[in-house]
Amino acid sequence: MPPATVTDDPIDHSQADSRAERPGAPPSVQANLTSSWRQDVHFLGDRAGKVELRSPPKFSNISDTRAHLKQHLAAAFRVFARQGFDEGVAGHISLRDPGNPSLFWINSLSRHFSQIRVNDLVLVSEAGEVLPDGAQSPINGPAFAIHSAIHRARPDLNAACHAHSVYGKAFSCFGRPIEMIYQDALRFYNDLAVYQRYGGTVLTVEEGDRIAAALGPTCRSLILQNHGMITCGRTVDEAAFLFIALDRCCHAQLLANAAVCPGFEKRYISDEQAEFGHRRSGNANKMWLAFQPYYDQVVKEEPDLLL
């Protein structure tokens, strides 16, 4: 993906905070995303090197980049609906705008995940104002409090997912991270924080800031005690797959905990193996790739999401 300095950007940023144009603002997508692609996804091809695996596409201008990213954001909502992550007006996914890192795209309030299209995405300013370049629909107040804080605190992350999934909610009551007791959990080794308090419905900037602080400077995922989960990534694909994976890990952890009895004690993966597994199976490129089958399926079966 190209950095935010690429020209040909039709969005008028005049309504955004003046800080949006500050020199040295972080790009929305890191330019070296594919520098270690083959190493990160460790695929096998032919001897001549002609058999290649798809990777995140690059575009020559911001407009095409934005269009591509919004398609994947809309698809993420459709995928979440299929996973059963919808619940009333709860749940939201945000994506930093590739042309202006201080703005982000998010879903409108009270529109079901299964019905969200590209044109339904709302562009939001740092002040929480709905901007004219996106859908003219209201957004969820708590969603803005959470996502704006994360985007401010973590310029390395371009997308964040939060939903009230059943297993995520169930496991969140323990106020602790998942354990390294199965291979898929290694995606979250030393990469999963816990917000060990319940601050109620997130209605204030202060509570959003506390959640962002709990995520810390390096973790991509966060368990909100008595609430649910948040996952983040450099791409919305990465963040969305991490959410699916974490919810399933919570489910597996609950099953394992329920099965413990004499003779069936849990056995833990060593730190050395967990670190290696996280590096190979939990890296950003691998997480982007892991989401693509979900994207392919939902676009094929529900092409209206691209409208």
Side-chain angles (χ1 to χ4, degrees), residues 291-303:
F291 184 73
Q292 301 318 299
Y294 296 91
Y295 177 84
D296 294 342
Q297 180 188 42
V298 75
V299 168
K300 181 178 180 179
E301 297 177 3
E302 304 174 34

Side-chain angles (χ1 to χ4, degrees), residues 140-221:
N140 186 300
F144 175 76
I146 293 171
H147 291 261
S148 62
I150 291 174
H151 285 298
R152 284 196 308 272
R154 293 289 300 275
D156 59 312
L157 300 175
N158 296 312
C161 305
H162 172 58
H164 295 175
S165 62
V166 174
Y167 300 116
K169 285 189 293 187
F171 189 76
S172 74
C173 73
F174 298 108
R176 59 182 297 171
I178 59 173
E179 298 171 327
M180 299 298 110
I181 54 176
Y182 43 87
Q183 179 171 291
D184 291 340
L186 304 185
R187 296 183 180 116
F188 302 96
Y189 178 73
N190 284 341
D191 200 359
L192 173 63
V194 179
Y195 182 45
Q196 293 183 315
R197 61 168 285 176
Y198 176 64
T201 301
V202 186
L203 297 176
T204 65
V205 172
E206 291 75 18
E207 181 65 7
D209 288 340
R210 284 191 286 267
I211 289 174
L215 183 63
T218 59
C219 287
R220 293 176 296 175
S221 302

Side-chain angles (χ1 to χ4, degrees), residues 118-136:
V118 169
N119 286 337
D120 296 317
L121 300 173
V122 181
L123 183 63
V124 187
S125 73
E126 285 184 310
E129 299 167 336
V130 174
L131 299 178
D133 300 287
Q136 297 303 286

Side-chain angles (χ1 to χ4, degrees), residues 17-304:
D17 190 286
S18 59
R19 290 174 291 176
E21 304 299 334
R22 65 192 186 283
S28 64
V29 179
Q30 296 189 15
N32 65 347
L33 185 62
T34 60
S35 60
S36 59
W37 179 254
R38 183 178 289 271
Q39 179 180 354
D40 284 350
V41 301
H42 46 89
F43 68 93
L44 301 177
D46 64 317
R47 179 178 297 181
K50 296 180 179 180
V51 175
E52 286 291 333
L53 187 65
R54 61 179 168 179
S55 60
K58 296 181 180 181
F59 300 94
S60 61
N61 61 74
I62 288 295
S63 295
D64 290 343
T65 300
R66 181 180 292 114
H68 171 80
L69 295 180
K70 288 174 65 180
Q71 289 174 356
H72 282 245
L73 175 57
F77 287 111
R78 299 290 184 106
V79 171
F80 271 33
R82 292 179 173 220
Q83 295 290 322
F85 296 158
D86 55 289
E87 186 169 341
V89 297
H92 14 86
I93 306 175
S94 63
L95 173 67
R96 197 190 300 274
D97 183 74
N100 191 323
S102 69
L103 312 180
F104 62 87
W105 298 87
I106 200 167
N107 51 308
S108 60
L109 181 63
S110 193
R111 188 168 185 84
H112 197 271
F113 285 179
S114 68
Q115 297 180 333
I116 291 178
R117 303 166 302 172
V118 169
N119 286 337
D120 296 317
L121 300 173
V122 181
L123 183 63
V124 187
S125 73
E126 285 184 310
E129 299 167 336
V130 174
L131 299 178
D133 300 287
Q136 297 303 286
S137 302
I139 63 168
N140 186 300
F144 175 76
I146 293 171
H147 291 261
S148 62
I150 291 174
H151 285 298
R152 284 196 308 272
R154 293 289 300 275
D156 59 312
L157 300 175
N158 296 312
C161 305
H162 172 58
H164 295 175
S165 62
V166 174
Y167 300 116
K169 285 189 293 187
F171 189 76
S172 74
C173 73
F174 298 108
R176 59 182 297 171
I178 59 173
E179 298 171 327
M180 299 298 110
I181 54 176
Y182 43 87
Q183 179 171 291
D184 291 340
L186 304 185
R187 296 183 180 116
F188 302 96
Y189 178 73
N190 284 341
D191 200 359
L192 173 63
V194 179
Y195 182 45
Q196 293 183 315
R197 61 168 285 176
Y198 176 64
T201 301
V202 186
L203 297 176
T204 65
V205 172
E206 291 75 18
E207 181 65 7
D209 288 340
R210 284 191 286 267
I211 289 174
L215 183 63
T218 59
C219 287
R220 293 176 296 175
S221 302
L222 177 68
I223 290 178
L224 304 171
Q225 183 177 298
N226 307 114
H227 188 165
M229 313 181 306
I230 296 173
T231 59
C232 307
R234 297 189 308 193
T235 62
V236 69
D237 309 71
E238 177 187 0
F241 181 76
L242 282 173
F243 195 96
I244 295 170
L246 183 55
D247 188 70
R248 293 184 178 182
C249 283
C250 289
H251 188 185
Q253 180 81 62
L254 292 167
L255 291 173
N257 288 353
V260 171
C261 65
F264 284 85
E265 294 83 8
K266 289 181 287 188
R267 298 191 177 187
Y268 296 85
I269 297 172
S270 69
D271 288 341
E272 181 181 7
Q273 288 291 342
E275 171 62 30
F276 178 79
H278 176 264
R279 197 165 57 245
R280 296 308 298 266
S281 66
N283 64 74
N285 288 331
K286 193 71 173 285
M287 297 299 89
W288 178 90
L289 183 64
F291 184 73
Q292 301 318 299
Y294 296 91
Y295 177 84
D296 294 342
Q297 180 188 42
V298 75
V299 168
K300 181 178 180 179
E301 297 177 3
E302 304 174 34
D304 66 299

